[in-house]
C-alpha cells in the first residue's frame, strides 16, 4: 500500500522494481492496496501478466495482479474491519479472499483490472462531498441558532442521515472517539483527501463527464491544505473552511 501512482510504478516497474527480472517471477499473486488512478492499476496489471512464473503451480500459468484498495481508515485497520475493493481476475480474487478477510470484514469483487481503484476513487469522492454537505449544514444551523448536538439528532433520525453525521461527526464536542473530539488529530489526513479528489477529477476529465461537485470538493480541500491543515483529519473542513464552532 503506497502513497501515489508514481510510487507504485517505481516499486513494480522501476530499475529496482519487483518486475526487474521480468522473465522469471516467483510470486503467483501480487496485490496492490494503494489508492491510485485506475489507468496505473491496469498498466501494472498488464506488466505483471507479461511475466513468466519461475515455478508453475496448479492452474497458474502466469503471475496475476489484483488492485485492492481499502476503506475504513486507521481505526478499521487496527480492528481488522476494513473493506477491500478488488479488481482483476475473479479466480485470483477468490484465491486471495481469505487473505482479505484476515485483515477486514468485507471483500467486494468489482470487476476487471483497475475497477478496485475506480471503486475507491468513487467512494472517497462521495465521502468528501458528504462531509462537506454535513459540515455546511452544521455551520448554517449554528448561525440560525440550532446547536450541533440538536441538529445531529435531527439528521440522524431523518433523511439526511449519513456516515459523516452518525459515525464521523465533524463538530468538536458532539461525538466521542472521532478526530473532531481530539482537535482533528489522526484519522484521514486532508492532504490524502485532496490527493484522492485530484484522482477523481482526472478520471472525470478522461470520462468526459459533467461533475461539478468533484471539482468544488477538490478546490476546497486543496485550499485547506494550502492554509496549513494538510495533516489534520479531513473533517476539519467544518472548523477551518466553514468557520464552525465547537459544541460547548
Amino acid at each position: 500500500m503506497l502513497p501515489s501512482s508514481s510510487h507504485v510504478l517505481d516499486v513494480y516497474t522501476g530499475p529496482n522494481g519487483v518486475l526487474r527480472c521480468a522473465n522469471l517471477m516467483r510470486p503467483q499473486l501480487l496485490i496492490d492496496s494503494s489508492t491510485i488512478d485506475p489507468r496505473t492499476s491496469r498498466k501494472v496489471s498488464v506488466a505483471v501478466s507479461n511475466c513468466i512464473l519461475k515455478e508453475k503451480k496448479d492452474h497458474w500459468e502466469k503471475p496475476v495482479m489484483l488492485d485492492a484498495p481499502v476503506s475504513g481508515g486507521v481505526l478499521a485497520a487496527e480492528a481488522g474491519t476494513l473493506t477491500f475493493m478488488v479488481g482483476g481476475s475473479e479466480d485470483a480474487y477468490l484465491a486471495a479472499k481469505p487473505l482479505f478477510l484476515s485483515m477486514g470484514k468485507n471483500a467486494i469483487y468489482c470487476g476487471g483490472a483497475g475497477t478496485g481503484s475506480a471503486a475507491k476513487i468513487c467512494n472517497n469522492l462521495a465521502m468528501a462531498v458528504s462531509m462537506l454537505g454535513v459540515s455546511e449544514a452544521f455551520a448554517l444551523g449554528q448561525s440560525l441558532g440550532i446547536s450541533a448536538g440538536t441538529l445531529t439528532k435531527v439528521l440522524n433520525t431523518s433523511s439526511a442521515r449519513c456516515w459523516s453525521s452518525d459515525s464521523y461527526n465533524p463538530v468538536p464536542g458532539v461525538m466521542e472517539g472521532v478526530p473532531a473530539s481530539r482537535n482533528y488529530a489522526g484519522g484521514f489526513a486532508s492532504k490524502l483527501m485532496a490527493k484522492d479528489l485530484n484522482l477523481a477529477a482526472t478520471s472525470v476529465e478522461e470520462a468526459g463527464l459533467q461533475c461539478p461537485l468533484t471539482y468544488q470538493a477538490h478546490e476546497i480541500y486543496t485550499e485547506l491544505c494550502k492554509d496549513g491543515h494538510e495533516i489534520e483529519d479531513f473533517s476539519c473542513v467544518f472548523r477551518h473552511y466553514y468557520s464552525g464552532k465547537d459544541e460547548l
Side-chain angles (χ1 to χ4, degrees), residues 10-21:
D10 187 52
V11 164
Y12 282 96
T13 63
N16 296 309
V18 175
L19 307 184
R20 67 189 183 281
C21 298

Side-chain angles (χ1 to χ4, degrees), residues 7-244:
H7 295 104
V8 172
L9 286 172
D10 187 52
V11 164
Y12 282 96
T13 63
N16 296 309
V18 175
L19 307 184
R20 67 189 183 281
C21 298
N23 291 331
L24 290 175
M25 280 284 292
R26 186 176 295 279
Q28 295 174 264
L29 177 62
L30 300 169
I31 302 173
D32 181 58
S33 290
S34 310
T35 299
I36 58 175
D37 63 281
R39 179 181 291 181
T40 297
S41 292
R42 290 192 291 269
K43 181 177 181 179
V44 175
S45 178
V46 169
V48 169
S49 66
N50 287 333
C51 297
I52 298 171
L53 281 174
K54 189 172 184 178
E55 298 175 7
K56 296 182 180 181
K57 296 179 181 179
D58 302 324
H59 64 286
W60 298 88
E61 295 293 328
K62 293 184 176 182
V64 180
M65 178 84 178
L66 293 175
D67 47 286
V70 301
S71 181
V74 174
L75 294 178
E78 292 174 342
T81 58
L82 292 166
T83 290
F84 286 85
M85 296 155 261
V86 189
S89 157
E90 188 168 9
D91 286 343
Y93 161 73
L94 293 173
K97 192 172 182 180
L99 293 174
F100 296 135
L101 295 181
S102 72
M103 298 179 282
K105 66 176 181 179
N106 297 301
I108 301 171
Y109 180 64
C110 299
T115 58
S117 295
K120 177 60 186 290
I121 290 173
C122 293
N123 178 80
N124 281 20
L125 168 60
M127 183 170 69
V129 171
S130 170
M131 181 58 73
L132 291 172
V134 166
S135 296
E136 197 165 298
F138 280 131
L140 177 60
Q142 287 180 337
S143 71
L144 297 175
I146 308 171
S147 73
T150 298
L151 189 54
T152 294
K153 293 177 183 177
V154 172
L155 297 181
N156 290 345
T157 54
S158 303
S159 55
R161 181 180 184 179
C162 62
W163 182 79
S164 296
S165 68
D166 71 2
S167 299
Y168 214 81
N169 197 290
V171 184
V174 171
M175 184 178 291
E176 293 297 322
V178 296
S181 69
R182 50 181 185 269
N183 203 31
Y184 300 108
F188 187 62
S190 293
K191 65 179 180 180
L192 295 180
M193 180 57 81
K195 183 211 78 169
D196 291 354
L197 289 169
N198 183 59
L199 294 175
T202 300
S203 294
V204 165
E205 292 175 3
E206 291 175 351
L209 298 176
Q210 295 293 324
C211 297
L213 295 181
T214 299
Y215 296 111
Q216 185 73 37
H218 181 229
E219 182 180 326
I220 289 173
Y221 276 100
T222 299
E223 180 180 330
L224 202 64
C225 291
K226 289 180 179 177
D227 289 341
H229 308 295
E230 65 272 10
I231 65 171
E232 294 177 48
D233 180 75
F234 80 107
S235 61
C236 76
V237 70
F238 168 75
R239 174 185 286 171
H240 300 305
Y241 184 82
Y242 290 107
S243 300

